[in-house]
Amino acid sequence: MKTHHLLLAVLITAIWGINFSVIKLGLQEVDPFILAGIRFLLCALPALFFIAKPDVKWRWLIGYGLVFGVGLWGMVNLAIRLGLSAGVASLLLQFSALFTLLLGGWVFREPLSRYQWAGIAIALTGLLCIIFLTDGSVSLSGLGCVLVAAVAWSVATILYKKADTRQVFAFLIWSSLFAPIPLFILAYAVNGWSGFHGLLAHTHGITLLSILFQVYPNTLFGYWVWNALLKRYPVSTVAPLSLLVPVFGLLGSFWIFNEPLSALKLAALLIIVSGLSTGLYGARLKQAWRRRTAP
């Protein structure tokens, strides 16, 4: 990978990691479902008036929009509102990679290798470390919500593979259209009109910054650049860089909210990243080592 493309990829992982703290800033004044709803409303509008609908069936757009918008980011926002720190949320969401392995094995009948099973076991050990954190950065309800979000991300990945489209940006724009209304309905069902009244009464510069950051640098720019890099380089070259997201997530939470970086939390980070690396890339690394050492 060329140096400027590598730096661009690292920038995207930094944006994605810091985004969890930016979400927490917005949640100080805005209902979690309303914040997610506004995010996806602005992702869809006005862009869909200028970008043609991708050549996929409506069910894939609707399904992806609901799962990605409501199941993933609606639950992440709720997890952070329920007391899970932004840094820990960014770390636990990476479990989606392992859930994708399990779902992929079931949906596409792809058997899991010993490396993938080993990676799952290692990552679960890291999850146990997270559960025993006592520094106030973990709530069990928030932990449960973000693990649901990780499953939703895995389902969204499967739906995207089923849609089988190369029009990635258009797919993201048009699918975003189906997330806001369900999110706004959830906000009303949980808190009535109070969340909407609070939005009008308490919106200020930090809230607007949080919303705009989530829409443009994080979602539209981030996914556009990332997918462009995936088209230019092999997946095995680009995808491992996503493991930097929880690193930047923890650093962002430390920088913005003074979240403590205890030895147990750093150990959990290393264990989970090691598990993800083993599950996703263990077989490839072994093959590469064999080729290098072969006479």
Side-chain angles (χ1 to χ4, degrees), residues 86-140:
V88 173
S90 71
L91 177 58
L92 293 180
L93 194 60
Q94 303 311 307
F95 271 85
S96 65
L98 299 181
F99 292 144
T100 300
L101 292 178
L102 294 172
L103 284 173
W106 177 56
V107 173
F108 299 107
R109 300 186 183 277
E110 299 171 350
L112 297 182
S113 70
R114 58 182 178 178
Y115 294 100
Q116 291 168 334
W117 283 117
I120 292 172
I122 294 170
L124 288 176
T125 303
L127 176 61
L128 289 176
C129 294
I130 291 291
I131 292 174
F132 288 108
L133 286 174
T134 58
D135 59 4
S137 61
V138 175
S139 69
L140 290 180

Side-chain angles (χ1 to χ4, degrees), residues 7 35 82 137 156 162 183 288:
L7 294 175
L35 185 66
L82 290 174
S137 61
K162 286 283 191 179
L183 286 164

Side-chain angles (χ1 to χ4, degrees), residues 36-48 54 58 60-70 73 168-184 214-215 219-220 223:
I38 294 173
R39 168 184 178 174
F40 286 99
L41 182 64
L42 294 179
C43 284
L45 300 175
L48 67 84
W58 282 105
W60 301 124
L61 291 171
I62 296 171
Y64 186 87
L66 291 174
V67 174
F68 189 73
V70 182
W73 291 109
V168 179
F169 193 70
F171 187 87
L172 178 63
I173 295 297
W174 280 82
S175 63
S176 295
L177 183 64
F178 300 98
I181 292 178
L183 286 164
F184 294 149
Q214 292 176 62
V215 173
T219 304
L220 297 182
Y223 282 94

Side-chain angles (χ1 to χ4, degrees), residues 208-270:
L208 291 175
L209 175 65
S210 173
I211 293 171
L212 294 176
F213 185 91
Q214 292 176 62
V215 173
Y216 298 107
N218 180 73
T219 304
L220 297 182
F221 176 72
Y223 282 94
W224 172 62
V225 170
W226 192 260
N227 286 301
L229 291 174
L230 287 173
K231 287 183 179 181
R232 180 181 288 267
Y233 298 101
V235 174
S236 58
T237 300
V238 180
L241 294 171
S242 65
L243 296 177
L244 291 173
V245 172
V247 176
F248 286 114
L250 287 170
L251 290 176
S253 193
F254 169 76
W255 176 49
I256 297 175
F257 297 106
N258 293 319
E259 176 186 332
L261 293 176
S262 64
L264 182 59
K265 187 175 294 183
L266 293 176
L269 170 65
L270 292 175

